[in-house]
Amino acid sequence: MDIRVELTKTPKEKPTDENNLGFGHVFTDHMFIMNYDKGQGWHDARIVPYAPLELSPAAMCLHYAQEVFEGLKAYRTADGSIQLFRPEENFKRLNVSNERLVIPQIDVDFCIEALDKLVSIEKDWVPHTDGASLYIRPFIIACDPFLGVRPADSYMFIIILSPSGAYYSTGLNPVSIYVESNYVRAVKGGMGFTKTGGNYAASLIGQDEAHKQNYSQVLWLDGVEKKYIEEVGAMNIFFIIDNEVVTPALQGSILSGITRKSVLELCKSWGMKVSEKRITIQEVADAYDSGKLQEVFGTGTAAVISPVGTLKWGDKVMTINDNKIGSISQKLYDTMTGIQYGKIEDKFNWVYKLKN
Ligand SMILES: *Cc1c(COP(=O)(O)O)cnc(C)c1O
């Protein structure tokens, strides 16, 4: 499929202060769109000026949440070239989400080509500041103007880009996390393993409760027994207990993070003992009490590695590693960002360099 390009006649002023970009506020000049119609498949691929969409108020995504999304970043290296981190993993995962939400499959190679072309057109928007990046948001929405409940016959696949600041402007500060034991986010058989807005809608109330108690994020427990650890809002979670790297196994209710997968591969390559298994919050508390809980950190594209300094479960408040970043968390952060920004050798072949 050809990609038609229509460039804007009114390019926007690019942000001059890259340290104050924050996350997700600023959008670039162009976006990629393609449409899907039953009987026709995906068609009309185009890069056009960034603008509001024309959408019926009856569009099915607005009523029944048939939508999926992805999140990745473009990084500028020291020599000015631009690269992505494992983009094929994002588009493969989008197809996993598509399948669960009865949305048609996309062609992974074509989507990478489209993204390459879009980012190349917008390359001046990729920040130069260390730690800043161009956040990439691909998403698909159901568009039929219809209030009945069924999978839609028409969709839009869109990619928008947002220059974003360094997640940690003042070094890697540990976050405080509140273990939610009332609400649940997902259950096995539900949509927990997909990246879809509905999962986030279900999580807002827990986030709100955490904020009220002065914690920054929520750690979710399993939806049935509220005993097994699942994941943090938009991050997978890791524990280092007695020199073993432990993370909840993928059993259908948590997202298969690409950062999670990369961290597991890195730790294995360093000869560390690594296990993906069911782990209860009680086991974590016991490890804490016996002095064996060495480090806790979250993993996700936005923060890469987010050290956890405090973990509150009911009345129990655990302070991890003196509320400082642990040595393994730091080494993982340095290695991951080193590869992403082209500062250290990419032994795993994770980096995708723009072709256009
Ligand atoms: C996106 C996301 C993650 C992190 O996945 P990455 O691929 O590492 O960015 C973790 N949990 C949830 C619920 C997410 O939506």
Side-chain angles (χ1 to χ4, degrees):
M1 197 182 348
D2 281 341
I3 301 173
R4 177 171 69 82
V5 178
E6 179 196 334
L7 296 179
T8 181
K9 294 187 182 71
T10 53
K12 290 179 270 201
E13 203 76 49
K14 293 187 184 59
T16 44
D17 186 0
E18 292 186 348
N19 293 314
N20 279 321
L21 281 170
F23 172 78
H25 296 290
V26 179
F27 299 96
T28 67
D29 286 320
H30 301 90
M31 59 185 175
F32 172 84
I33 306 189
M34 64 178 171
N35 293 75
Y36 178 95
D37 284 282
K38 198 175 175 177
Q40 202 180 355
W42 291 106
H43 63 91
D44 267 313
R46 58 207 186 268
I47 290 170
V48 291
Y50 182 92
L53 302 173
E54 191 168 307
L55 201 62
S56 164
M60 292 174 87
C61 63
L62 301 176
H63 302 272
Y64 309 120
Q66 198 191 9
E67 87 76 57
V68 292
F69 68 93
E70 270 303 325
L72 67 161
K73 290 170 169 176
Y75 309 86
R76 187 181 292 279
T77 66
D79 67 11
S81 64
I82 291 161
Q83 55 191 38
L84 312 173
F85 185 74
R86 312 186 82 173
E88 72 288 357
E89 295 287 336
N90 290 92
F91 290 115
K92 280 197 236 158
R93 187 171 66 188
L94 190 61
N95 271 338
V96 170
S97 301
N98 282 339
E99 187 183 15
R100 177 65 180 78
L101 279 106
V102 202
I103 293 172
Q105 297 281 297
I106 47 104
D107 181 313
V108 170
D109 292 334
F110 177 73
C111 289
I112 293 177
E113 185 193 324
L115 176 59
D116 187 315
K117 198 161 182 155
L118 178 65
V119 175
S120 302
I121 289 172
E122 303 291 58
K123 61 178 177 298
D124 292 343
W125 285 91
V126 181
H128 295 74
T129 309
D130 200 34
S133 58
L134 184 69
Y135 184 78
I136 300 164
R137 170 53 58 85
F139 63 104
I140 302 177
I141 53 175
C143 297
D144 300 23
F146 177 52
L147 294 182
V149 178
R150 58 155 172 78
D153 290 333
S154 61
Y155 299 87
M156 274 199 268
F157 171 104
I158 304 173
I159 307 176
I160 55 174
L161 306 173
S162 174
S164 296
Y167 197 86
Y168 298 105
S169 39
T170 56
L172 270 84
N173 289 323
V175 294
S176 61
I177 289 196
Y178 164 88
V179 181
E180 175 59 64
S181 4
N182 181 23
Y183 302 108
V184 301
R185 172 189 168 273
V187 290
K188 230 179 269 184
M191 308 193 294
F193 64 98
T194 68
K195 244 177 147 63
T196 184
N199 287 333
Y200 280 80
S203 76
L204 295 175
I205 194 165
Q207 183 75 40
D208 206 40
E209 187 55 36
H211 286 168
K212 277 184 193 144
Q213 300 200 28
N214 272 321
Y215 284 80
S216 69
Q217 299 192 47
V218 177
L219 177 62
W220 296 98
L221 299 178
D222 76 278
V224 179
E225 296 176 73
K226 291 184 194 148
K227 169 170 139 181
Y228 297 99
I229 291 174
E230 297 254 296
E231 61 177 321
V232 181
M235 293 193 291
N236 294 108
I237 187 96
F238 282 75
F239 303 90
I240 300 178
I241 300 173
D242 207 10
N243 295 320
E244 179 181 357
V245 182
V246 181
T247 194
L250 303 175
Q251 293 185 319
S253 55
I254 65 172
L255 195 87
S256 174
I258 296 158
T259 321
R260 174 187 181 278
K261 182 175 179 173
S262 307
V263 159
L264 288 170
E265 288 175 48
L266 275 177
C267 288
K268 280 180 200 157
S269 79
W270 293 337
M272 301 184 72
K273 189 168 178 219
V274 171
S275 50
E276 297 173 70
K277 61 181 183 194
R278 289 194 98 182
I279 174 168
T280 62
I281 184 70
Q282 186 65 56
E283 285 174 81
V284 169
D286 291 347
Y288 176 78
D289 288 338
S290 61
K292 288 183 178 157
L293 181 62
Q294 295 154 295
E295 299 184 32
V296 181
F297 57 90
T299 63
T301 296
V304 192
I305 303 293
S306 188
V308 175
T310 358
L311 198 55
K312 180 180 191 286
W313 177 41
D315 296 332
K316 192 177 179 72
V317 178
M318 300 173 249
T319 304
I320 295 124
N321 194 42
D322 228 3
N323 202 20
K324 290 196 201 69
I325 181 165
S327 58
I328 294 162
S329 309
Q330 183 74 57
K331 185 175 170 193
L332 282 166
Y333 180 81
D334 293 343
T335 309
M336 287 288 291
T337 54
I339 295 171
Q340 289 165 342
Y341 287 89
K343 290 177 189 163
I344 60 179
E345 193 198 341
D346 173 29
K347 286 187 205 140
F348 299 87
N349 247 319
W350 285 340
V351 164
Y352 173 97
K353 292 186 170 298
L354 284 205
K355 297 198 168 52
N356 282 295

